[in-house]
Amino acid sequence: MKRQSGPFMTIIFACAAALAGLVATLPAQAQTQAQPQAQTRPIRLVALGDSLSAGYNLPQEAAFPVVLEKALKAKGYNVEVANAGVSGDTSSGGLDRLDWSVPDGTDGVILELGANDMLRGLDPAGTRKNLTAIVERLKSRNIPVMLAGMYASRNLGSDYVQKFDGIYPEIAKTYDLVLYPFFLDGVAGEKSLNLPDGMHPTAKGVEVIVERMLPSVESFLARLAQR
């Protein structure tokens, strides 16, 4: 083929140079738009709770935070859920360890505390005070909270039940939090979904908890995405 030269090639080179200049001036967002989602930073959640979050007497992979993370990833969310559950912890214990249990860089906290307060018959006013302090301290750090509630055992009497059960919806309303009313919904009282102690979920029980809670967690993630 005969080599082209002269004005024709001059025009070609000029067009190529102009195109290169245009690409160089494109906004960074447009140039990186096609990058895979996997390269973006994951949403970092912390499950701050007691034995129900920690995975009492269960393999690590069967604990609530691990199962929740797996379920969220299966739905396409780029998320990490850290396990900050401590067996036996009360709301007071959670408040005491809050700053080191929820590190800087956390995007949101799922707060699951209060069951041990109830089992010990502690004054609901103290539980309310501690949970409120946790929410306010996290708010001051610009870390949103999703509240996982608990119901009092009915054998504690109607007065105690009324005061305790009201803690979670009232805090959620005051601070406009996503609320999952009862962490053990669908599991409490189901023998096949609980360990022999009748209080802690089996691995299957944790799966039921995650399945039922998932829509609320997705609502929480939607809020985080709007920030």
Side-chain angles (χ1 to χ4, degrees):
M1 178 179 294
K2 184 178 180 180
R3 181 181 178 185
Q4 299 288 346
S5 60
F8 178 77
M9 291 304 296
T10 301
I11 293 173
I12 294 296
F13 289 141
C15 290
L19 181 60
L22 178 61
V23 171
T25 59
L26 284 174
Q29 181 179 2
Q31 294 185 44
T32 60
Q33 190 173 13
Q35 292 184 356
Q37 184 181 3
Q39 293 183 11
T40 63
R41 185 180 75 81
I43 300 169
R44 300 188 179 107
L45 301 180
V46 170
L48 179 67
D50 47 41
S51 57
L52 298 176
S53 290
Y56 175 79
N57 272 3
L58 295 176
Q60 182 178 357
E61 63 271 16
F64 167 74
V66 179
V67 178
L68 177 61
E69 179 181 309
K70 183 178 179 181
L72 288 170
K73 285 183 173 179
K75 300 198 73 172
Y77 292 98
N78 186 9
V79 62
E80 296 175 353
V81 185
N83 190 342
V86 174
S87 294
D89 223 356
T90 61
S91 59
S92 175
L95 177 59
D96 289 342
R97 64 182 174 89
L98 178 62
D99 291 337
W100 60 264
S101 292
V102 182
D104 291 341
T106 298
D107 296 302
V109 168
I110 298 175
L111 177 56
E112 177 276 306
L113 283 168
N116 288 312
D117 300 52
M118 178 268 296
L119 291 173
R120 298 178 188 184
L122 301 180
D123 186 351
T127 304
R128 180 191 296 271
K129 181 180 179 181
N130 293 330
L131 293 177
T132 297
I134 290 173
V135 171
E136 289 187 343
R137 189 179 296 179
L138 290 172
K139 183 178 180 181
S140 72
R141 294 173 58 190
N142 199 31
I143 300 175
V145 175
M146 172 182 164
L147 197 56
M150 181 57 56
Y151 292 154
S153 176
R154 271 36 194 170
N155 63 7
L156 292 173
S158 60
D159 183 60
Y160 189 96
V161 168
Q162 182 179 6
K163 290 178 179 178
F164 186 88
D165 287 5
I167 292 172
Y168 300 91
E170 289 166 13
I171 291 177
K173 182 178 180 180
T174 299
Y175 293 95
D176 189 27
L177 308 180
V178 173
L179 171 68
Y180 185 70
F182 184 35
F183 185 82
L184 294 174
D185 183 46
V187 173
E190 296 292 334
K191 187 175 181 180
S192 64
L193 298 177
N194 284 276
L195 297 176
D197 62 15
M199 295 186 295
H200 295 94
T202 61
K204 179 60 179 177
V206 172
E207 292 177 3
V208 172
I209 290 170
V210 168
E211 180 182 1
R212 294 194 175 215
M213 189 185 292
L214 203 55
S216 296
V217 178
E218 289 188 274
S219 295
F220 184 49
L221 292 176
R223 287 196 181 191
L224 297 183
Q226 295 171 2
R227 301 176 77 246

